[in-house]
Amino acid sequence: MAYHYNDEMKKRLRRLEGQVRGVLRLMEEEKNCKDVVSQLSAVRNAADKAIAQIVAENLQQCILEEQQSGGDTSKVVKEAIELLVKSR
């Protein structure tokens, strides 16, 4: 099975990487913990959105492949939901 990671997903992760560097910079500059936590919260939210996008995009592909092989698509959906739950 080939997984699908498009340019938009990679772009989203690069932005997230930049946000993490920004948090590290705040820490190095000994900024207020409120600012650091606020930025970390933004990183977490961005990561959650990236996870959801990756699962959704790949779920569609996995369902199509499962249908073509005559398999149980409900199992694929259940696995995707478990991934989302674990990520929280």
Side-chain angles (χ1 to χ4, degrees):
M1 172 187 332
Y3 292 99
H4 179 70
Y5 305 109
N6 64 30
D7 289 340
E8 177 57 35
M9 289 177 194
K10 294 172 189 173
K11 184 177 164 183
R12 185 182 293 260
L13 289 179
R14 286 186 191 99
R15 279 195 307 264
L16 209 154
E17 180 182 33
Q19 286 179 295
V20 171
R21 280 195 305 270
V23 172
L24 286 168
R25 188 172 47 253
L26 289 175
M27 294 171 116
E28 288 167 357
E29 294 172 358
E30 297 182 4
K31 297 292 184 182
N32 182 311
C33 71
K34 181 180 174 186
D35 295 336
V36 172
V37 170
S38 174
Q39 289 305 307
L40 277 174
S41 179
V43 168
R44 181 175 51 198
N45 290 337
D48 286 344
K49 288 179 184 177
I51 289 168
Q53 181 185 13
I54 290 169
V55 170
E57 294 275 340
N58 285 287
L59 175 60
Q60 182 179 11
Q61 183 63 34
C62 291
I63 287 174
L64 290 173
E65 289 174 10
E66 195 70 22
Q67 285 174 335
Q68 290 170 354
S69 70
D72 181 7
T73 57
S74 65
K75 179 183 171 192
V76 174
V77 172
K78 183 180 177 194
E79 289 172 353
I81 291 169
E82 287 173 1
L83 276 174
L84 289 171
V85 170
K86 278 185 184 177
S87 71
R88 283 302 291 161

